[in-house]
Amino acid sequence: QLACPLDLGCHSVRKKRGTSAMADDGEDIEIQEDEAGVSDAVIKAAIDERDKAVTAAVSRSNWAAALEAALRDPPVQSKNAELKKQSLAVVLRVLTAVKDAEIKGLVDALSPDQCQILMKYIYRGLETGTSSSPLFKWHAAVTEKAGLGCIVRVLTDRRLSKNC
């Protein structure tokens, strides 16, 4: 049995590698586990929980809570590109909704680890070619707070594995 490693209160999953299971809505889903034993279903559930938390915070215009929820537990365990794309969409929803005047204050409240994760998502978002203007503003604010080392770490890490 695999408990949710992301500690989001997700349901546990008991499956063998490469088997399928029935989702809550009755849809048949494919479950894959990586070497660490974390299934894509568990990671998808965690991303869905983050999405719900972000939606709730955005609806209240609580940008700090939305950003914190969006950056929580990136799917570094997964090799599934679709899950990483879904996670990126959650983060981009926050980054593109925040007003320019609020970006610096939000970034200043982040920890160094959160700045690192945010910078990874910024670069991943820039790869898509959409919504690049707000991403450049976030990039400037994160660079100002975390320094050039943050950029170097992200670029070095991305060459080794696309983990965010």
Side-chain angles (χ1 to χ4, degrees):
Q1 181 163 346
L2 301 171
C4 180
L6 306 175
D7 196 26
L8 295 174
C10 306
H11 295 76
S12 295
V13 176
R14 179 183 292 237
K15 284 309 221 182
K16 295 179 182 175
R17 288 182 194 268
T19 60
S20 63
M22 192 67 72
D24 291 340
D25 61 1
E27 182 180 326
D28 199 27
I29 58 172
E30 183 71 21
I31 296 182
Q32 295 292 324
E33 293 178 9
D34 65 8
E35 295 81 36
V38 179
S39 72
D40 285 350
V42 171
I43 294 169
K44 180 169 180 13
I47 293 170
D48 290 343
E49 286 296 318
R50 284 182 25 223
D51 189 36
K52 288 177 189 173
V54 165
T55 300
V58 166
S59 70
R60 296 186 314 271
S61 296
N62 185 347
W63 305 117
L67 184 59
E68 187 279 323
L71 296 177
R72 189 177 342 129
D73 300 318
V76 295
Q77 309 92 330
S78 179
K79 293 181 180 171
N80 184 323
E82 191 58 39
L83 289 178
K84 291 180 185 245
K85 190 175 181 181
Q86 183 182 1
S87 183
L88 174 63
V90 172
V91 175
L92 289 180
R93 190 157 34 109
V94 176
L95 299 184
T96 57
V98 173
K99 294 181 176 137
D100 295 349
E102 298 178 42
I103 292 173
K104 183 174 176 6
L106 291 169
V107 170
D108 286 343
L110 296 177
S111 72
D113 287 340
Q114 288 173 316
C115 285
Q116 191 74 31
I117 293 167
L118 177 55
M119 188 64 88
K120 288 179 184 181
Y121 277 116
I122 290 169
Y123 275 96
R124 185 67 69 159
L126 288 170
E127 282 181 359
T128 67
T130 59
S131 306
S132 58
S133 179
L135 294 178
F136 283 122
K137 292 171 186 171
W138 281 95
H139 186 277
V142 174
T143 303
E144 183 179 323
K145 177 179 173 147
L148 294 175
C150 182
I151 297 171
V152 172
R153 286 186 297 276
V154 167
L155 294 177
T156 302
D157 190 30
R158 287 172 50 78
R159 280 189 212 121
L160 298 175
S161 67
K162 294 188 174 194
N163 64 3
C164 209

